[in-house]
Amino acid sequence: MGEATILRERLVGEGLDPGAWSNGPGDQYGSHDHTYDKVIVVTSGSITFGLDQGAEELAVGDRLELPAATAHDASVGPDGVVCLEAHLPAGTLAGVAHREAGTW
């Protein structure tokens, strides 16, 4: 069983319904926010999210929890990135949390 499948099953086991997205090397997103909470897990490559409290660098297996209305930008690493992302109702998450691979 591949790493992406294992990570997806872990999210599904939490009752989440993750979808996948990807971007190429060096792709960037300007600062924005969302009306929903979201959980992002990297399954391939890397991405750095810029937050008010600083940069959060995510690699394979890392998880980022972003509450609604959290301003963030993003820069994709040199090998591109593939992520799983699940949306939750605003107010579900207690705060921004970066959980490294193997800790969640």
Side-chain angles (χ1 to χ4, degrees):
M1 184 179 305
E3 183 76 12
T5 301
I6 292 167
L7 293 168
R8 176 181 295 280
E9 287 182 359
R10 288 174 65 190
L11 292 171
V12 169
E14 293 179 24
L16 301 174
D17 183 22
W21 56 268
S22 63
N23 282 106
D27 283 351
Q28 296 189 6
Y29 290 92
S31 184
H32 64 283
D33 61 24
H34 302 281
T35 59
Y36 48 84
D37 291 0
K38 69 178 179 175
V39 175
I40 301 165
V41 175
V42 175
T43 62
S44 175
S46 63
I47 189 168
T48 299
F49 287 88
L51 302 163
D52 286 345
Q53 65 264 32
E56 295 288 349
E57 298 179 22
L58 277 67
V60 175
D62 288 352
R63 172 181 176 144
L64 184 64
E65 298 175 0
L66 290 176
T70 301
H72 59 283
D73 59 29
S75 297
V76 177
D79 296 322
V81 71
V82 179
C83 294
L84 296 171
E85 179 173 310
H87 298 177
L88 301 160
T92 303
L93 298 174
V96 173
H98 177 186
R99 303 181 194 287
E100 293 184 7
T103 66
W104 58 276

